[in-house]
Amino acid sequence: MKGITASAPGKVILFGEHAVVYGRPALAAPVFSVQATAYVEEALPNSGLLIHAADLDLNLSLADAVTHGPALAAQLALEHLGTPEPDVQITIRSTIPIAGGMGSGAAVSAALIRALCTYLGHSIGDEALSALVYEVEKFYHGMPSGIDNTVICYGRPVYYIKGREPQFLLVKHPFDLLIGDTGVATPTRITVGAVREAWQRAPQTYEALFDAIGAVVEKAQAAIERGEVALLGPLMNENHALLRELGVSSPELEQLVKVARTAGAAGAKLSGGGGGGNMIALVDPANVERVGHALRKAGAVRVLHTLIR
Ligand code: PMV
């Protein structure tokens, strides 16, 4: 049987991370310059389903579904199709930084499920795919909002509220972002857990911060849909200040955010879980080079350039 490849993009949260876990809206966009891919091919008879995570040099089978996301993703795909375990070899690769807030886990799950379903003769729709990837995300994060699987599976910018149908974001004027990686890998569940503890200790303070973030998100959505890109930089700065108050920034993130603004970015903020991971900066195309250079000089281990459209 012919081998099948499927891929899924990385993502950035533009506005609203953390508050989205508490029912406020958030905006996110796919990043196609980094990808997870899965290749499914026939394996020897009676070998069962084997997964090779090429970048990690890790081999998994369905028995690993209780401990490893990709094996769980494969198991959920087979349950979804009602198909017995096939003899296949699945090779997964990813250029998405791990634990950097770019959705690497969700993208690997999405690529794997899509490739396996296609190989077995069923094309899976975005909605069903997103629901399965969400189940795997729960395994990674405990209580994810669902924004990562949504933006990655649909592959379009979204306005997202937990538990509701995703709304797609219409980007009137595309805009350039730089994504700067602090190089500090911080699993999302750590910062999400810290915010939860702080919220339990001081619910009123945190609810007020989530409301303030929600208000920024609404303004950002309107600005993006009207093509008022000039409004987005100050809104990013405002969102970052609120995230700092939530306690999810870090010295490395602060440094990159400051350097980006000084070098001419229109605005900058941490993106994703925080505590490390990535920050984003809104840049005029003419400033991409300069801000990118400044970020690298200030310690960013990777700087990606992406156009949000
Ligand atoms: O996966 P990350 O690190 O981009 O974080 C996702 C955004 C959070 O709001 C922090 C968590 C969530 O489940 O929405």
Side-chain angles (χ1 to χ4, degrees):
M1 216 196 240
K2 205 167 138 269
I4 293 286
T5 303
S7 61
K11 70 104 217 314
V12 278
I13 298 206
L14 301 172
F15 291 94
E17 49 275 89
H18 287 288
V20 68
V21 175
Y22 298 82
R24 274 59 167 197
L27 310 181
V31 176
F32 289 98
S33 54
V34 285
Q35 303 249 346
T37 56
Y39 177 66
V40 183
E41 61 192 321
E42 197 171 344
L44 293 174
N46 302 319
S47 60
L49 183 147
L50 304 165
I51 301 171
H52 177 58
D55 309 314
L56 308 174
D57 202 14
L58 179 69
N59 292 303
L60 303 168
S61 72
L62 284 184
D64 297 307
V66 280
T67 47
H68 289 81
L72 177 59
Q75 187 186 67
L76 292 170
L78 295 178
E79 279 170 17
H80 172 75
L81 299 176
T83 307
E85 182 174 354
D87 295 323
V88 290
Q89 164 86 37
I90 307 175
T91 305
I92 50 181
R93 292 176 197 278
S94 173
T95 57
I96 308 169
I98 293 174
M102 291 197 71
S104 63
V108 166
S109 303
L112 187 154
I113 296 171
R114 205 177 255 152
L116 183 57
C117 289
T118 309
Y119 181 87
L120 296 172
H122 305 267
S123 76
I124 184 165
D126 294 341
E127 194 182 340
L129 179 66
S130 184
L132 293 183
V133 174
Y134 182 64
E135 293 304 311
V136 189
E137 287 291 281
K138 280 198 213 159
F139 160 83
Y140 281 117
H141 298 321
M143 220 198 60
S145 65
I147 191 167
D148 279 20
N149 48 286
T150 301
V151 65
I152 283 166
C153 293
Y154 287 88
R156 291 170 62 182
V158 293
Y159 169 94
Y160 181 82
I161 297 180
K162 189 176 169 179
R164 296 210 198 147
E165 286 276 292
Q167 232 173 286
F168 299 109
L169 192 57
L170 302 166
V171 182
K172 189 159 179 200
H173 288 316
F175 53 92
D176 291 87
L177 285 188
L178 286 177
I179 306 167
D181 188 346
T182 60
V184 181
T186 308
T188 303
R189 71 186 142 73
I190 303 281
T191 51
V192 169
V195 171
R196 179 154 302 270
E197 275 171 28
W199 170 73
Q200 279 161 346
R201 277 197 303 273
Q204 279 176 352
T205 310
Y206 275 74
E207 286 293 326
L209 287 169
F210 298 148
D211 280 341
I213 292 174
V216 171
V217 173
E218 299 293 353
K219 287 185 205 160
Q221 181 206 15
I224 290 170
E225 300 209 323
R226 292 189 197 129
E228 294 165 345
V229 176
L231 299 181
L232 291 178
L235 288 170
M236 283 172 75
N237 295 342
E238 210 180 310
N239 195 165
H240 181 75
L242 291 163
L243 286 162
R244 194 168 46 210
E245 280 191 63
L246 284 185
V248 296
S249 192
S250 73
E252 295 83 3
L253 284 165
E254 289 304 308
Q255 170 71 359
L256 295 187
V257 163
K258 188 173 109 196
V259 160
R261 290 177 190 157
T262 309
K269 65 182 278 292
L270 73 86
S271 174
N278 284 284
M279 50 73 70
I280 53 175
L282 178 69
V283 281
D284 196 77
N287 276 341
V288 165
E289 197 82 356
R290 184 148 54 103
V291 178
H293 178 73
L295 284 171
R296 275 185 213 96
K297 217 172 127 200
V301 295
R302 183 186 305 98
V303 179
L304 296 173
H305 174 205
T306 189
L307 185 69
I308 304 297
R309 57 178 160 189

